[in-house]
Coordinates of all heavy atoms in Angstrom, one line a residue:
A77 N -53.6 10.8 1.1 CA -54.1 10.0 2.2 C -55.2 9.1 1.8 O -55.3 8.0 2.3 CB -54.5 10.9 3.4
A78 N -56.1 9.6 0.9 CA -57.2 8.8 0.4 C -56.6 7.6 -0.4 O -57.2 6.5 -0.4 CB -58.1 9.6 -0.4
D79 N -55.5 7.8 -1.2 CA -55.0 6.8 -2.0 C -54.3 5.7 -1.1 O -54.3 4.5 -1.5 CB -53.9 7.3 -2.9 CG -54.6 8.3 -4.0 OD1 -55.8 8.2 -4.1 OD2 -53.9 9.2 -4.5
G80 N -53.8 6.1 0.0 CA -53.1 5.1 0.9 C -53.9 4.6 2.1 O -53.3 4.1 3.0
Q81 N -55.2 4.8 2.1 CA -55.9 4.5 3.3 C -56.1 3.0 3.5 O -56.3 2.5 4.6 CB -57.3 5.1 3.2 CG -58.2 4.6 2.0 CD -59.5 5.3 1.9 OE1 -59.9 6.1 2.8 NE2 -60.2 5.1 0.8
F82 N -55.9 2.2 2.4 CA -56.0 0.7 2.5 C -54.6 0.1 2.7 O -54.5 -1.1 2.7 CB -56.7 0.1 1.3 CG -58.1 0.6 1.1 CD1 -58.4 1.5 0.2 CD2 -59.1 0.2 2.0 CE1 -59.7 2.0 0.0 CE2 -60.4 0.6 1.9 CZ -60.7 1.5 0.9
E83 N -53.5 0.9 2.7 CA -52.2 0.3 2.9 C -51.9 0.2 4.4 O -52.4 1.0 5.2 CB -51.2 1.2 2.2 CG -51.3 1.3 0.7 CD -50.4 2.3 0.0 OE1 -49.8 3.1 0.8 OE2 -50.2 2.3 -1.2
Y84 N -51.1 -0.7 4.7 CA -50.7 -0.9 6.1 C -49.7 0.1 6.6 O -49.0 0.7 5.8 CB -50.1 -2.3 6.3 CG -48.8 -2.6 5.7 CD1 -47.6 -2.3 6.5 CD2 -48.6 -3.0 4.4 CE1 -46.4 -2.5 5.9 CE2 -47.4 -3.2 3.9 CZ -46.3 -3.0 4.6 OH -45.0 -3.2 4.1
E85 N -49.7 0.4 7.8 CA -48.8 1.4 8.4 C -47.7 0.8 9.2 O -47.9 -0.1 10.0 CB -49.7 2.3 9.4 CG -48.9 3.5 9.9 CD -49.7 4.3 10.9 OE1 -50.2 3.8 11.8 OE2 -49.9 5.5 10.6
S86 N -46.5 1.1 8.8 CA -45.3 0.6 9.4 C -44.7 1.7 10.3 O -44.8 2.9 10.1 CB -44.3 0.2 8.4 OG -43.9 1.2 7.6
V87 N -44.1 1.2 11.4 CA -43.4 2.1 12.4 C -41.9 2.2 12.1 O -41.2 1.2 12.0 CB -43.6 1.6 13.8 CG1 -43.0 2.6 14.8 CG2 -45.1 1.5 14.1
L88 N -41.5 3.5 11.8 CA -40.1 3.7 11.5 C -39.2 4.0 12.7 O -38.0 3.7 12.8 CB -40.0 4.8 10.5 CG -40.8 4.6 9.1 CD1 -40.5 5.8 8.2 CD2 -40.4 3.4 8.4
C89 N -39.8 4.8 13.6 CA -39.0 5.2 14.8 C -40.0 5.7 15.9 O -41.0 6.2 15.6 CB -38.1 6.4 14.3 SG -37.1 7.1 15.7
V90 N -39.6 5.4 17.1 CA -40.4 5.8 18.3 C -39.4 6.4 19.3 O -38.4 5.8 19.7 CB -41.1 4.6 18.9 CG1 -41.8 5.1 20.2 CG2 -42.1 4.1 18.0
K91 N -39.7 7.6 19.8 CA -38.9 8.3 20.8 C -39.8 8.7 22.0 O -40.9 9.3 21.8 CB -38.2 9.5 20.3 CG -37.1 9.2 19.2 CD -36.1 8.3 19.8 CE -35.1 7.8 18.8 NZ -34.1 6.8 19.4
P92 N -39.4 8.3 23.2 CA -40.3 8.5 24.3 C -40.6 9.9 24.8 O -41.6 10.2 25.4 CB -39.7 7.7 25.5 CG -38.2 7.6 25.1 CD -38.2 7.6 23.6
E93 N -39.6 10.8 24.4 CA -39.8 12.2 24.9 C -39.3 13.2 23.8 O -38.2 13.0 23.3 CB -39.0 12.4 26.2 CG -39.2 13.8 26.8 CD -38.6 13.9 28.1 OE1 -38.6 12.9 28.9 OE2 -38.1 15.0 28.5
V94 N -40.1 14.1 23.5 CA -39.8 15.2 22.6 C -40.5 16.5 23.1 O -41.6 16.4 23.7 CB -40.2 14.9 21.2 CG1 -41.8 14.7 21.1 CG2 -39.8 15.9 20.2
N95 N -39.8 17.6 23.0 CA -40.3 18.9 23.4 C -40.8 19.7 22.2 O -40.2 19.7 21.1 CB -39.2 19.7 24.1 CG -38.7 19.0 25.4 OD1 -39.5 18.4 26.1 ND2 -37.4 19.1 25.6
V96 N -41.9 20.4 22.4 CA -42.5 21.2 21.3 C -42.4 22.7 21.7 O -42.7 23.0 22.9 CB -44.0 20.8 21.1 CG1 -44.6 21.7 20.1 CG2 -44.0 19.3 20.6
Y97 N -42.1 23.5 20.8 CA -41.9 25.0 21.0 C -42.7 25.8 20.0 O -42.8 25.4 18.8 CB -40.4 25.4 20.9 CG -39.5 24.6 21.8 CD1 -38.9 23.4 21.3 CD2 -39.2 25.0 23.1 CE1 -38.0 22.7 22.1 CE2 -38.4 24.3 23.9 CZ -37.8 23.1 23.4 OH -36.9 22.4 24.2
R98 N -43.3 26.9 20.5 CA -44.0 27.8 19.6 C -42.9 28.7 19.1 O -42.2 29.4 19.9 CB -45.1 28.6 20.4 CG -45.8 29.5 19.5 CD -46.9 30.3 20.2 NE -48.0 29.4 20.6 CZ -48.3 29.1 21.8 NH1 -47.6 29.6 22.8 NH2 -49.4 28.4 22.1
I99 N -42.8 28.8 17.8 CA -41.7 29.6 17.2 C -42.3 30.9 16.6 O -43.4 30.9 16.1 CB -40.9 28.8 16.1 CG1 -41.9 28.4 15.0 CG2 -40.3 27.5 16.7 CD1 -41.2 27.6 13.8
P100 N -41.5 31.9 16.5 CA -41.9 33.2 15.9 C -42.0 33.1 14.4 O -41.3 32.2 13.8 CB -40.9 34.2 16.3 CG -39.6 33.4 16.6 CD -40.1 32.1 17.1
P101 N -42.9 33.8 13.8 CA -42.9 33.8 12.3 C -41.6 34.1 11.6 O -40.9 35.0 12.1 CB -44.1 34.8 12.0 CG -44.1 35.7 13.1 CD -43.7 34.9 14.3
R102 N -41.4 33.5 10.5 CA -40.1 33.7 9.8 C -40.2 35.1 9.1 O -41.1 35.2 8.2 CB -39.8 32.6 8.9 CG -38.5 32.6 8.2 CD -38.2 31.4 7.3 NE -38.3 30.2 8.1 CZ -38.2 29.0 7.6 NH1 -38.0 28.9 6.3 NH2 -38.3 27.9 8.3
A103 N -39.3 36.0 9.4 CA -39.3 37.3 8.8 C -38.7 37.3 7.4 O -39.0 38.1 6.5 CB -38.7 38.3 9.7
S104 N -37.7 36.5 7.2 CA -36.9 36.5 5.9 C -36.6 35.0 5.5 O -37.0 34.1 6.2 CB -35.7 37.3 6.0 OG -34.8 36.8 7.0
N105 N -35.8 34.9 4.5 CA -35.4 33.6 4.1 C -34.2 33.0 4.8 O -33.7 32.0 4.4 CB -35.1 33.6 2.6 CG -36.4 33.8 1.7 OD1 -37.5 33.5 2.2 ND2 -36.2 34.5 0.6
R106 N -33.7 33.7 5.8 CA -32.5 33.2 6.5 C -32.9 32.0 7.3 O -34.0 31.7 7.6 CB -32.0 34.3 7.4 CG -32.9 34.6 8.6 CD -32.3 35.7 9.5 NE -33.1 36.0 10.7 CZ -32.9 35.4 11.8 NH1 -32.0 34.4 11.9 NH2 -33.7 35.7 12.8
A107 N -31.8 31.2 7.6 CA -32.0 29.9 8.3 C -32.6 30.2 9.7 O -32.3 31.2 10.4 CB -30.7 29.2 8.4
V108 N -33.4 29.2 10.2 CA -34.0 29.2 11.5 C -32.9 28.9 12.5 O -32.1 27.9 12.3 CB -35.2 28.3 11.5 CG1 -35.8 28.4 12.9 CG2 -36.2 28.7 10.5
R109 N -32.9 29.6 13.6 CA -32.0 29.4 14.8 C -32.8 28.9 16.0 O -33.8 29.6 16.3 CB -31.2 30.6 15.1 CG -30.3 31.0 13.9 CD -29.6 32.3 14.2 NE -28.6 32.2 15.2 CZ -28.7 32.6 16.5 NH1 -29.9 33.3 16.8 NH2 -27.8 32.5 17.4
A110 N -32.4 27.8 16.6 CA -33.1 27.4 17.8 C -32.8 28.3 19.0 O -33.6 28.3 20.0 CB -32.6 26.0 18.2
A111 N -31.8 29.1 18.9 CA -31.5 30.1 20.0 C -32.6 31.1 20.2 O -32.8 31.7 21.2 CB -30.2 30.7 19.8
D112 N -33.4 31.3 19.1 CA -34.5 32.3 19.2 C -35.7 31.7 19.9 O -36.7 32.5 20.1 CB -34.9 32.7 17.7 CG -33.8 33.4 17.0 OD1 -32.9 34.0 17.7 OD2 -33.7 33.4 15.8
W113 N -35.8 30.5 20.2 CA -36.9 29.9 20.9 C -36.7 29.9 22.4 O -35.5 30.1 22.9 CB -37.1 28.4 20.5 CG -37.2 28.2 19.0 CD1 -37.3 29.1 18.0 CD2 -37.0 26.9 18.3 NE1 -37.4 28.5 16.8 CE2 -37.1 27.2 16.9 CE3 -36.8 25.6 18.7 CZ2 -37.1 26.2 16.0 CZ3 -36.7 24.6 17.8 CH2 -36.9 24.9 16.4
K114 N -37.7 29.7 23.1 CA -37.6 29.6 24.6 C -37.3 28.1 25.0 O -38.2 27.3 25.3 CB -38.9 30.0 25.2 CG -39.3 31.5 25.0 CD -40.6 31.9 25.6 CE -40.9 33.4 25.4 NZ -42.2 33.8 26.0
L115 N -36.1 27.8 24.9 CA -35.7 26.4 25.0 C -35.8 25.9 26.5 O -36.0 24.7 26.7 CB -34.2 26.2 24.6 CG -33.9 26.5 23.1 CD1 -32.4 26.3 22.8 CD2 -34.8 25.7 22.2
D116 N -35.8 26.8 27.4 CA -35.9 26.4 28.8 C -37.4 26.2 29.3 O -37.7 25.7 30.4 CB -35.3 27.4 29.8 CG -35.8 28.8 29.5 OD1 -36.4 29.1 28.5 OD2 -35.5 29.7 30.4
A117 N -38.3 26.6 28.4 CA -39.8 26.5 28.7 C -40.5 26.0 27.5 O -41.2 26.7 26.8 CB -40.3 27.9 29.1
P118 N -40.5 24.6 27.3 CA -41.2 24.0 26.1 C -42.7 24.2 26.3 O -43.2 24.2 27.5 CB -40.7 22.6 26.1 CG -40.3 22.3 27.5 CD -39.7 23.6 28.0
D119 N -43.5 24.3 25.3 CA -44.9 24.5 25.3 C -45.6 23.1 25.5 O -46.8 23.1 26.0 CB -45.4 25.2 24.1 CG -44.9 26.6 24.0 OD1 -45.3 27.5 24.7 OD2 -44.0 26.8 23.1
W120 N -45.0 22.1 25.1 CA -45.6 20.7 25.3 C -44.5 19.7 25.2 O -43.5 19.8 24.6 CB -46.6 20.5 24.1 CG -47.4 19.2 24.2 CD1 -48.5 19.0 24.9 CD2 -47.1 17.9 23.6 NE1 -49.0 17.7 24.7 CE2 -48.1 17.0 23.9 CE3 -46.0 17.5 22.7 CZ2 -48.1 15.7 23.5 CZ3 -46.0 16.2 22.3 CH2 -47.0 15.3 22.7
T121 N -44.7 18.6 26.0 CA -43.8 17.5 26.0 C -44.6 16.2 25.9 O -45.6 16.0 26.6 CB -43.0 17.5 27.3 OG1 -42.2 18.7 27.4 CG2 -42.0 16.3 27.4
G122 N -44.1 15.3 25.0 CA -44.8 14.1 24.8 C -43.9 13.1 24.1 O -42.7 13.1 24.1
R123 N -44.6 12.1 23.4 CA -43.9 11.0 22.7 C -44.0 11.3 21.2 O -45.0 11.8 20.7 CB -44.6 9.7 23.1 CG -44.0 8.5 22.3 CD -44.8 7.2 22.7 NE -46.2 7.3 22.2 CZ -47.1 6.4 22.5 NH1 -46.8 5.4 23.3 NH2 -48.3 6.5 22.1
M124 N -43.0 10.9 20.5 CA -43.0 11.0 19.0 C -42.9 9.6 18.4 O -42.1 8.8 18.8 CB -41.8 11.9 18.6 CG -41.8 12.1 17.1 SD -40.3 12.9 16.4 CE -39.2 11.6 16.5
R125 N -43.8 9.4 17.4 CA -43.8 8.2 16.6 C -43.8 8.5 15.2 O -44.6 9.2 14.7 CB -45.0 7.4 17.0 CG -45.0 5.9 16.6 CD -46.0 5.1 17.5 NE -47.3 5.7 17.3 CZ -48.3 5.2 16.5 NH1 -48.0 4.1 15.7 NH2 -49.5 5.7 16.4
V126 N -42.8 7.9 14.4 CA -42.7 8.1 13.0 C -43.1 6.9 12.3 O -42.6 5.8 12.6 CB -41.2 8.4 12.6 CG1 -41.1 8.7 11.1 CG2 -40.7 9.6 13.4
T127 N -44.2 7.0 11.5 CA -44.7 5.9 10.8 C -44.7 6.2 9.2 O -44.4 7.3 8.8 CB -46.2 5.6 11.2 OG1 -47.0 6.8 10.8 CG2 -46.3 5.4 12.7
A128 N -45.0 5.1 8.5 CA -45.1 5.2 7.0 C -46.2 4.5 6.5 O -46.5 3.3 6.9 CB -43.8 4.7 6.4
R129 N -47.0 5.1 5.6 CA -48.1 4.4 4.9 C -47.9 4.6 3.4 O -48.1 5.7 2.9 CB -49.4 5.0 5.4 CG -50.6 4.2 4.9 CD -52.0 4.9 5.3 NE -52.1 5.0 6.7 CZ -52.3 6.1 7.4 NH1 -52.4 7.2 6.7 NH2 -52.4 6.1 8.7

Side-chain angles (χ1 to χ4, degrees):
D79 296 338
Q81 61 183 352
F82 298 108
E83 297 176 346
Y84 69 91
E85 185 179 58
S86 60
V87 178
L88 304 180
C89 179
V90 176
K91 292 303 172 183
E93 183 172 329
V94 62
N95 297 322
V96 175
Y97 304 93
R98 183 181 288 114
I99 62 176
R102 186 177 302 180
S104 62
N105 292 330
R106 69 181 182 89
V108 180
R109 298 175 66 255
D112 298 335
W113 308 345
K114 297 179 180 180
L115 300 179
D116 54 345
D119 296 289
W120 184 86
T121 301
R123 178 182 65 187
M124 186 188 71
R125 196 159 58 97
V126 182
T127 63
R129 190 183 300 122

